[in-house]
Amino acid sequence: MTSKPIGVAVLGLGNVGSEVVRILTENAEDFEARIGAPLAIRGIAVRRVDGDRGVPAELLTDDPAELVGRDDVDIVVEVLGGIDIPRKLVLSALEKGKSVITANKALLAEYTGELADAAEKSRADLYFEAAVAGAIPVVRPLMQSLAGDRVNKVAGIVNGTTNFILSAMDETGADYAETLAEAGRLGYAEADPTADVEGYDAASKAAILASIAFHTRVTAGDVYREGISKITSDDLETAKSLDCTIKLLAICERIVTPKGKERISARVYPALVPLNHPLASVNGAFNAVVVEAEAAGRLMFYGQGAGGAPTASAVLGDLVMAARNKFYGGRGPLESKYAKLKVAPMGDILTRYYVSMQVADKPGVLATVAAEFSKRDVSISTVRQQGSGDGARLVVVTHLAADSALSETVASLEQLDVVVHVASVLRLEGTTV
Ligand code: NAP
């Protein structure tokens, strides 16, 4: 005897939604066998219901709120994008006891707390594997597989657009603007690339990762953020000469302050990464996340971080979980925020800096520059002098020091007569000295 179908509302039929619907339809029998009951798509919400959308026309609606409220909808898949509209729809679904699957990192990075509270009250599931690093399973490993371990660090490349641009700049020697335009032509960058290139998308993902890794509520506003739009082909050239490349990293870390207080750090910035670090070889639009846990040691997750079908894979994995919970009873884990750790300001974080500056080509420059570092207890690891005359450049790489001391040092270098200008300041990650 066939079990009663589990009703699914799909909100959105774009890159992700169309793949969700296609895979669900093509593999309906497999889904039924895996869940124990068939899934029935009750409706698909879009803005534009006219024309051939590749799905049965009777499923389409431009009224997502009505669809979410229907009695025969048990699970809502939210793949719309935006924040305000999906927030209302997801809240309304959860309040009615319907489980929600969302791929929406921007929504979660602001409102996980509110959504998790609503899910808690109505004992519904809220799953979001697709919100971080597309197809790559990283949310469930952090929330479930590593629930018995203590995670100390999660660092990764979680934005495909910026990784594509930086990899291409590294490979071709082209500059940022030219490479961004090429990324747009190839479909790797959106018409307005701000969310990607200025690090907002990665910061949303960092907030989600830090929240689940450290059992603490972290929002996008808590994440220190710098984008890649100031990276030059010279930076990549110098990185190469230091046996490094440049990657936009999202770093979430458990730290202990000099006073022995436990804090967390969540930050996104382009950083020099040594070529022998596992993240250095993650190229093109691929994503990777490295997790360091006390008992498990280092784990690396790698794969396609975006795209319709890869993201749909993560959405559908969540859908099967939520449907099984509906069928057998029970529910998955919700937000875990018991640790309530404070987020440390960026100035307190220990980092290494790479500073490239144009300098006057005369005796004593090196000593004057070095004095500014030593005044603030910033120890220099290497110094290189490149070029001569008007093109004379000093490249300084420091040891670990408080980020505030490093940024004060850079500010003071800019005031020196012997420094024409500080061309570039980047952090160096993936080393500990
Ligand atoms: P998309 O291609 O722009 O599709 C959005 C869909 O939502 C469209 O079908 C659109 O309808 C519909 N829609 C938007 N606002 C609506 C409204 N107010 N009422 C009814 N329908 C509405 O977006 P996407 O790339 O699939 O991304 C969807 C979500 O997944 C986003 O939260 C995104 O951050 C997340 N995500 C995407 C990827 C990826 O690779 N694309 C990866 C990870 C996560 P029309 O078709 O009629 O315009």
Side-chain angles (χ1 to χ4, degrees):
M1 197 185 72
T2 314
S3 305
K4 191 170 148 270
I6 295 170
V8 180
V10 181
L11 311 184
L13 189 65
N15 295 315
V16 182
S18 57
E19 287 298 315
V20 166
V21 172
R22 179 185 67 78
I23 299 170
L24 261 185
T25 312
E26 286 178 7
N27 303 309
E29 283 180 19
D30 282 344
F31 278 100
E32 178 174 352
R34 288 172 204 169
I35 293 161
L39 293 174
I41 299 179
R42 304 297 190 199
I44 303 167
V46 288
R47 274 178 296 220
R48 193 172 40 83
V49 287
D50 54 318
D52 181 9
R53 303 288 313 247
V55 296
E58 65 276 13
L59 287 180
L60 291 174
T61 173
D62 57 5
D63 189 348
E66 189 274 336
L67 175 60
V68 165
R70 272 171 59 165
D71 288 340
D72 60 355
V73 166
D74 305 295
I75 302 177
V76 173
V77 173
E78 186 276 304
V79 281
L80 294 168
I83 295 185
D84 294 340
I85 292 174
R87 176 184 169 207
K88 283 191 195 124
L89 293 167
V90 168
L91 267 179
S92 132
L94 293 170
E95 281 161 8
K96 293 181 175 75
K98 299 169 192 225
S99 295
V100 171
I101 320 301
T102 177
N104 192 333
K105 55 251 162 185
L107 171 68
L108 290 160
E110 293 298 336
Y111 294 110
T112 297
E114 181 185 42
L115 303 180
D117 287 348
E120 180 71 53
K121 269 194 201 124
S122 66
R123 305 203 54 74
D125 277 331
L126 173 65
Y127 286 140
F128 49 89
E129 182 64 69
V132 183
I136 307 172
V138 62
V139 170
R140 188 162 290 114
L142 282 169
M143 286 181 84
Q144 298 188 33
S145 319
L146 292 167
D149 208 332
R150 181 182 162 88
V151 175
N152 288 323
K153 188 168 180 179
V154 182
I157 295 167
V158 293
N159 182 273
T161 305
T162 46
N163 203 48
F164 175 88
I165 294 171
L166 292 173
S167 304
M169 286 174 72
D170 192 43
E171 203 178 304
T172 63
D175 70 16
Y176 170 76
E178 194 185 327
T179 314
L180 171 63
E182 178 67 0
R185 274 193 293 277
L186 294 171
Y188 289 110
E190 294 190 19
D192 177 359
T194 313
D196 291 317
V197 300
E198 296 304 344
Y200 292 100
D201 173 82
S204 293
K205 291 165 179 169
I208 297 170
L209 288 171
S211 301
I212 58 181
F214 307 129
H215 308 280
T216 289
R217 191 176 285 168
V218 180
T219 64
D222 296 323
V223 180
Y224 177 85
R225 178 194 54 77
E226 285 175 26
I228 66 159
S229 56
K230 295 198 181 84
I231 301 292
T232 63
S233 49
D234 274 354
D235 290 329
L236 279 147
E237 206 46 51
T238 312
K240 262 186 206 163
S241 72
L242 296 166
D243 290 327
C244 290
T245 187
I246 298 174
K247 298 289 184 192
L248 183 75
L249 298 182
I251 301 171
C252 311
E253 199 172 9
R254 202 187 277 278
I255 58 168
V256 178
T257 66
K259 288 186 181 155
K261 297 242 185 317
E262 193 173 38
R263 296 279 184 267
I264 57 175
S265 159
R267 50 197 207 263
V268 167
Y269 44 67
L272 268 74
V273 177
L275 291 176
N276 61 6
H277 190 278
L279 290 175
S281 50
V282 176
N283 287 318
F286 277 82
N287 282 193
V289 178
V290 175
V291 176
E292 290 173 19
E294 225 148 83
R298 186 190 264 186
L299 304 164
M300 181 157 170
F301 302 83
Y302 170 84
Q304 297 188 68
T311 308
S313 163
V315 168
L316 290 165
D318 282 351
L319 177 57
V320 169
M321 294 299 149
R324 282 181 183 155
N325 290 343
K326 290 274 175 203
F327 186 65
Y328 293 105
R331 66 204 281 236
L334 280 173
E335 184 195 38
S336 166
K337 54 176 197 295
Y338 71 89
K340 295 189 174 62
L341 294 171
K342 287 196 176 135
V343 180
M346 188 60 206
D348 290 357
I349 305 304
L350 297 182
T351 59
R352 298 184 68 187
Y353 262 28
Y354 141 98
V355 185
S356 160
M357 60 204 115
Q358 196 188 339
V359 291
D361 189 10
K362 58 181 186 191
V365 171
L366 187 54
T368 313
V369 165
E372 293 304 315
F373 283 87
S374 91
K375 264 186 218 166
R376 292 163 187 88
D377 283 338
V378 177
S379 147
I380 292 177
S381 164
T382 58
V383 183
R384 279 184 196 202
Q385 184 149 12
Q386 295 174 339
S388 58
D390 285 350
R393 229 159 50 109
L394 267 189
V395 175
V396 176
V397 178
T398 73
H399 287 294
L400 277 177
D403 201 84
S404 54
L406 287 162
S407 58
E408 278 169 28
T409 307
V410 171
S412 68
L413 291 173
E414 275 165 338
Q415 305 305 316
L416 293 179
D417 288 344
V418 294
V419 173
V420 181
H421 82 286
V422 176
S424 186
V425 180
L426 287 168
R427 295 177 183 85
L428 174 61
E429 292 288 343
T431 64
T432 47
V433 282

